[in-house]
Amino acid sequence: MFTRRRRRTEQEGPYWKQRGWQMSAGFLAAVVVLAGIVALTSGSDGADRAEAAAPGGPPKGGALATDGRPPGCHTDEAPGNTVPATAPTDIRWRAIGVVRVPVSAAAGPTVTDRAPWWCFAHTPVGSVLAAQVITSQMSEAHWRTVADRQLVPGRGRDRFVSHRSTVRTTGTERRPDSASVSSYAGFAVTRYDGKDSTVDLLIRSSQGFAATSIDLRWSGGDWKVLPAGDGSLHSPVRSVQNANGYLVWAGART
Protein backbone atom coordinates (compact mmCIF):
# COMPACT_ATOMS: atom_id res chain seq x y z
CA MET A 1 0.00 0.00 0.00
CA PHE A 2 2.90 2.36 0.62
CA THR A 3 3.58 2.63 -3.09
CA ARG A 4 0.17 3.99 -3.88
CA ARG A 5 0.12 6.38 -0.91
CA ARG A 6 3.33 7.96 -2.12
CA ARG A 7 1.98 8.43 -5.59
CA ARG A 8 -1.29 9.91 -4.38
CA THR A 9 0.59 12.81 -2.86
CA GLU A 10 1.58 13.94 -6.36
CA GLN A 11 -1.78 15.66 -6.79
CA GLU A 12 -3.88 17.16 -4.03
CA GLY A 13 -7.64 17.49 -3.81
CA PRO A 14 -10.51 15.13 -4.64
CA TYR A 15 -9.44 12.47 -7.11
CA TRP A 16 -12.18 13.27 -9.60
CA LYS A 17 -10.80 16.81 -9.93
CA GLN A 18 -7.21 15.76 -10.47
CA ARG A 19 -5.69 16.33 -13.91
CA GLY A 20 -5.16 12.61 -14.35
CA TRP A 21 -8.93 12.11 -14.23
CA GLN A 22 -9.51 14.87 -16.75
CA MET A 23 -7.64 13.43 -19.71
CA SER A 24 -9.42 12.10 -22.79
CA ALA A 25 -12.42 9.82 -22.39
CA GLY A 26 -10.59 7.18 -24.41
CA PHE A 27 -7.65 7.26 -22.03
CA LEU A 28 -9.86 6.96 -18.98
CA ALA A 29 -11.61 4.08 -20.70
CA ALA A 30 -8.38 2.13 -20.43
CA VAL A 31 -7.69 3.13 -16.84
CA VAL A 32 -10.94 2.96 -14.92
CA VAL A 33 -13.28 3.35 -17.86
CA LEU A 34 -15.41 6.04 -16.31
CA ALA A 35 -15.72 7.62 -19.73
CA GLY A 36 -17.98 10.32 -18.34
CA ILE A 37 -16.01 11.09 -15.20
CA VAL A 38 -15.30 14.60 -16.44
CA ALA A 39 -19.03 15.24 -16.29
CA LEU A 40 -19.76 14.32 -12.70
CA THR A 41 -22.54 16.88 -12.56
CA SER A 42 -24.23 15.60 -15.72
CA GLY A 43 -26.75 13.51 -13.76
CA SER A 44 -27.68 9.89 -14.36
CA ASP A 45 -29.89 7.96 -16.72
CA GLY A 46 -31.53 4.54 -16.59
CA ALA A 47 -28.26 2.73 -15.94
CA ASP A 48 -29.22 1.83 -12.39
CA ARG A 49 -32.27 -0.01 -13.67
CA ALA A 50 -30.20 -1.82 -16.29
CA GLU A 51 -27.49 -3.02 -13.95
CA ALA A 52 -30.01 -4.04 -11.36
CA ALA A 53 -30.94 -6.80 -13.78
CA ALA A 54 -27.38 -7.77 -14.64
CA PRO A 55 -27.08 -11.57 -14.39
CA GLY A 56 -24.48 -13.80 -12.85
CA GLY A 57 -21.11 -12.83 -11.49
CA PRO A 58 -19.05 -13.94 -8.49
CA PRO A 59 -21.13 -14.82 -5.44
CA LYS A 60 -21.36 -12.22 -2.69
CA GLY A 61 -21.00 -14.82 0.01
CA GLY A 62 -21.80 -18.38 0.95
CA ALA A 63 -19.73 -21.51 1.23
CA LEU A 64 -16.61 -21.98 -0.89
CA ALA A 65 -15.52 -25.25 -2.43
CA THR A 66 -12.83 -27.39 -0.81
CA ASP A 67 -10.14 -25.57 -2.83
CA GLY A 68 -11.27 -22.22 -1.44
CA ARG A 69 -12.76 -21.06 -4.76
CA PRO A 70 -16.42 -20.26 -5.48
CA PRO A 71 -18.29 -23.07 -7.27
CA GLY A 72 -17.60 -23.08 -11.00
CA CYS A 73 -14.29 -21.22 -10.70
CA HIS A 74 -11.19 -23.06 -11.92
CA THR A 75 -7.77 -21.60 -12.78
CA ASP A 76 -4.13 -22.70 -12.95
CA GLU A 77 -2.43 -21.97 -9.63
CA ALA A 78 0.83 -23.70 -10.60
CA PRO A 79 2.96 -20.53 -10.88
CA GLY A 80 2.32 -19.79 -7.18
CA ASN A 81 3.55 -16.48 -5.80
CA THR A 82 6.40 -16.10 -8.28
CA VAL A 83 6.29 -12.77 -10.09
CA PRO A 84 6.78 -13.52 -13.80
CA ALA A 85 9.86 -12.37 -15.68
CA THR A 86 7.97 -12.28 -18.99
CA ALA A 87 4.38 -11.61 -19.95
CA PRO A 88 2.23 -14.75 -20.38
CA THR A 89 1.72 -15.89 -23.95
CA ASP A 90 -1.71 -17.55 -23.63
CA ILE A 91 -3.43 -14.19 -24.06
CA ARG A 92 -6.50 -13.39 -26.11
CA TRP A 93 -7.83 -9.84 -26.45
CA ARG A 94 -11.50 -9.25 -25.79
CA ALA A 95 -13.61 -6.12 -25.69
CA ILE A 96 -15.36 -4.65 -22.68
CA GLY A 97 -17.19 -1.67 -24.11
CA VAL A 98 -14.54 0.43 -25.87
CA VAL A 99 -11.63 -1.28 -24.11
CA ARG A 100 -9.58 -4.29 -25.21
CA VAL A 101 -8.47 -6.40 -22.24
CA PRO A 102 -6.16 -9.42 -22.09
CA VAL A 103 -7.77 -12.70 -21.05
CA SER A 104 -5.94 -15.91 -20.16
CA ALA A 105 -7.35 -19.43 -20.12
CA ALA A 106 -4.96 -20.26 -17.26
CA ALA A 107 -5.07 -17.06 -15.16
CA GLY A 108 -8.52 -15.70 -15.91
CA PRO A 109 -11.05 -14.41 -16.02
CA THR A 110 -12.42 -17.87 -16.76
CA VAL A 111 -16.09 -16.98 -16.25
CA THR A 112 -17.03 -14.53 -19.00
CA ASP A 113 -20.39 -15.80 -20.21
CA ARG A 114 -22.19 -13.25 -18.07
CA ALA A 115 -21.45 -9.97 -16.35
CA PRO A 116 -19.33 -9.32 -14.45
CA TRP A 117 -16.30 -11.30 -15.64
CA TRP A 118 -14.57 -13.07 -12.78
CA CYS A 119 -12.51 -16.04 -11.54
CA PHE A 120 -8.83 -15.11 -11.61
CA ALA A 121 -5.84 -17.27 -10.68
CA HIS A 122 -4.44 -16.83 -7.18
CA THR A 123 -1.14 -15.74 -8.72
CA PRO A 124 0.58 -12.44 -9.59
CA VAL A 125 -0.64 -12.67 -13.19
CA GLY A 126 -4.16 -13.36 -11.94
CA SER A 127 -4.05 -10.11 -9.97
CA VAL A 128 -2.79 -8.23 -13.04
CA LEU A 129 -5.67 -9.47 -15.16
CA ALA A 130 -8.14 -8.67 -12.39
CA ALA A 131 -6.82 -5.10 -12.16
CA GLN A 132 -7.55 -4.55 -15.84
CA VAL A 133 -10.80 -6.46 -16.20
CA ILE A 134 -12.52 -5.26 -13.02
CA THR A 135 -11.82 -1.59 -13.58
CA SER A 136 -12.67 -1.86 -17.28
CA GLN A 137 -16.21 -2.90 -16.40
CA MET A 138 -16.88 0.30 -14.48
CA SER A 139 -18.21 2.17 -17.52
CA GLU A 140 -20.76 -0.51 -18.30
CA ALA A 141 -24.41 -0.51 -17.25
CA HIS A 142 -23.72 -3.26 -14.71
CA TRP A 143 -21.01 -1.26 -12.92
CA ARG A 144 -22.84 -1.36 -9.58
CA THR A 145 -22.89 -5.15 -9.62
CA VAL A 146 -19.15 -5.10 -10.34
CA ALA A 147 -18.57 -2.69 -7.45
CA ASP A 148 -20.68 -4.79 -5.11
CA ARG A 149 -18.93 -8.04 -5.94
CA GLN A 150 -15.44 -7.08 -7.09
CA LEU A 151 -14.41 -4.16 -4.88
CA VAL A 152 -13.26 -4.74 -1.30
CA PRO A 153 -16.04 -3.55 1.06
CA GLY A 154 -15.38 -0.43 3.13
CA ARG A 155 -15.34 3.33 3.04
CA GLY A 156 -13.42 3.39 -0.24
CA ARG A 157 -16.03 1.30 -2.04
CA ASP A 158 -18.85 3.39 -0.59
CA ARG A 159 -17.17 6.60 -1.77
CA PHE A 160 -16.59 5.16 -5.24
CA VAL A 161 -20.23 4.10 -5.58
CA SER A 162 -21.39 7.52 -4.38
CA HIS A 163 -19.30 9.36 -6.98
CA ARG A 164 -19.90 6.86 -9.78
CA SER A 165 -23.65 7.13 -9.25
CA THR A 166 -23.54 10.75 -10.43
CA VAL A 167 -21.93 9.83 -13.74
CA ARG A 168 -24.20 9.22 -16.71
CA THR A 169 -23.37 6.04 -18.62
CA THR A 170 -23.24 7.33 -22.18
CA GLY A 171 -22.86 4.81 -24.93
CA THR A 172 -19.55 3.21 -24.00
CA GLU A 173 -20.94 0.11 -25.69
CA ARG A 174 -20.36 1.80 -29.07
CA ARG A 175 -16.79 1.23 -30.22
CA PRO A 176 -15.15 4.39 -31.59
CA ASP A 177 -12.32 4.50 -34.11
CA SER A 178 -9.65 2.21 -32.63
CA ALA A 179 -7.02 4.90 -33.13
CA SER A 180 -8.77 7.10 -30.58
CA VAL A 181 -8.98 4.50 -27.83
CA SER A 182 -6.24 3.84 -25.31
CA SER A 183 -5.14 0.28 -24.70
CA TYR A 184 -3.37 -1.73 -22.06
CA ALA A 185 0.23 -2.16 -23.17
CA GLY A 186 1.99 -3.83 -20.24
CA PHE A 187 2.31 -4.26 -16.50
CA ALA A 188 4.63 -4.54 -13.52
CA VAL A 189 3.82 -6.28 -10.24
CA THR A 190 5.43 -4.03 -7.63
CA ARG A 191 4.18 -5.89 -4.54
CA TYR A 192 2.76 -9.36 -4.02
CA ASP A 193 2.39 -11.56 -0.94
CA GLY A 194 -0.50 -13.82 -1.90
CA LYS A 195 -3.05 -11.76 0.02
CA ASP A 196 -2.38 -8.29 -1.39
CA SER A 197 -1.03 -7.19 -4.73
CA THR A 198 -0.04 -3.83 -6.22
CA VAL A 199 0.01 -3.68 -10.01
CA ASP A 200 1.35 -0.92 -12.24
CA LEU A 201 -0.52 -0.75 -15.54
CA LEU A 202 1.09 0.68 -18.66
CA ILE A 203 -1.37 2.34 -21.03
CA ARG A 204 -0.73 3.48 -24.58
CA SER A 205 -2.79 6.20 -26.26
CA SER A 206 -2.33 8.71 -29.04
CA GLN A 207 -0.75 10.93 -26.38
CA GLY A 208 1.98 8.40 -25.63
CA PHE A 209 2.58 6.16 -22.62
CA ALA A 210 1.16 6.64 -19.16
CA ALA A 211 0.89 4.47 -16.06
CA THR A 212 -1.18 4.07 -12.95
CA SER A 213 -1.15 1.77 -9.92
CA ILE A 214 -3.97 -0.44 -8.61
CA ASP A 215 -4.17 -2.31 -5.30
CA LEU A 216 -5.94 -5.66 -5.03
CA ARG A 217 -6.80 -8.12 -2.26
CA TRP A 218 -7.56 -11.84 -2.34
CA SER A 219 -10.99 -12.16 -0.75
CA GLY A 220 -13.76 -14.73 -0.99
CA GLY A 221 -11.79 -16.93 -3.35
CA ASP A 222 -11.00 -14.29 -5.98
CA TRP A 223 -9.16 -11.01 -6.53
CA LYS A 224 -10.93 -7.78 -5.70
CA VAL A 225 -9.80 -4.20 -6.30
CA LEU A 226 -9.03 -2.34 -3.06
CA PRO A 227 -10.20 1.30 -3.39
CA ALA A 228 -8.45 4.13 -1.58
CA GLY A 229 -10.27 5.96 1.18
CA ASP A 230 -11.37 8.70 -1.22
CA GLY A 231 -12.99 6.16 -3.52
CA SER A 232 -10.37 6.15 -6.27
CA LEU A 233 -9.53 2.81 -7.81
CA HIS A 234 -6.07 3.79 -8.98
CA SER A 235 -3.22 6.17 -8.24
CA PRO A 236 -2.90 9.49 -10.11
CA VAL A 237 -2.10 8.87 -13.76
CA ARG A 238 1.50 9.71 -14.64
CA SER A 239 3.27 10.05 -17.95
CA VAL A 240 6.12 7.66 -18.77
CA GLN A 241 8.57 7.88 -21.63
CA ASN A 242 8.53 4.27 -22.79
CA ALA A 243 7.79 0.68 -21.80
CA ASN A 244 11.09 0.14 -19.98
CA GLY A 245 10.50 -1.65 -16.67
CA TYR A 246 7.19 -3.15 -17.79
CA LEU A 247 6.29 -6.56 -19.20
CA VAL A 248 4.60 -5.92 -22.54
CA TRP A 249 1.52 -7.92 -23.46
CA ALA A 250 1.72 -10.05 -26.59
CA GLY A 251 -0.47 -8.41 -29.21
CA ALA A 252 -0.65 -5.12 -27.32
CA ARG A 253 -0.95 -1.94 -29.35
CA THR A 254 2.39 -0.37 -28.54
Side-chain angles (χ1 to χ4, degrees), residues 168-194:
R168 184 161 49 96
T169 303
T170 54
T172 56
E173 306 85 0
R174 296 191 299 272
R175 294 181 60 82
D177 181 350
S178 61
S180 68
V181 179
S182 301
S183 60
Y184 293 112
F187 67 91
V189 179
T190 61
R191 184 178 66 107
Y192 187 87
D193 62 11

Side-chain angles (χ1 to χ4, degrees), residues 19-233:
R19 183 177 62 83
W21 282 82
Q22 298 181 12
M23 301 177 76
S24 70
F27 184 83
L28 286 176
V31 181
V32 178
V33 210
L34 298 188
I37 200 69
V38 295
L40 279 171
T41 60
S42 63
S44 59
D45 58 6
D48 289 351
R49 291 188 297 275
E51 33 105 5
K60 293 176 62 177
L64 302 178
T66 54
D67 60 357
R69 306 306 303 273
C73 176
H74 304 285
T75 56
D76 181 5
E77 318 292 296
N81 291 350
T82 303
V83 175
T86 59
T89 57
D90 69 326
I91 292 297
R92 292 182 300 118
W93 291 89
R94 294 185 58 182
I96 298 178
V98 299
V99 187
R100 293 171 71 245
V101 297
V103 173
S104 163
T110 62
V111 182
T112 61
D113 60 332
R114 56 192 182 276
W117 294 2
W118 64 286
C119 188
F120 301 92
H122 192 185
T123 64
V125 171
S127 70
V128 170
L129 294 167
Q132 293 166 103
V133 169
I134 293 172
T135 54
S136 293
Q137 297 177 97
M138 291 303 182
S139 68
E140 302 302 294
H142 59 271
W143 70 267
R144 193 183 293 272
T145 302
V146 177
D148 188 38
R149 299 182 181 181
Q150 294 185 297
L151 300 184
V152 176
R155 177 188 176 191
R157 185 177 74 174
D158 294 344
R159 292 290 298 276
F160 172 81
V161 169
S162 176
H163 295 309
R164 178 62 179 87
S165 297
T166 68
V167 178
R168 184 161 49 96
T169 303
T170 54
T172 56
E173 306 85 0
R174 296 191 299 272
R175 294 181 60 82
D177 181 350
S178 61
S180 68
V181 179
S182 301
S183 60
Y184 293 112
F187 67 91
V189 179
T190 61
R191 184 178 66 107
Y192 187 87
D193 62 11
K195 178 183 179 183
D196 293 293
S197 178
T198 298
V199 176
D200 277 9
L201 299 181
L202 180 70
I203 301 104
R204 175 66 184 266
S205 75
S206 59
Q207 303 172 28
F209 285 110
T212 188
S213 177
I214 295 178
D215 288 335
L216 301 100
R217 176 162 295 168
W218 185 258
S219 175
D222 210 359
W223 287 109
K224 293 178 173 58
V225 169
L226 178 63
D230 65 358
S232 57
L233 304 187

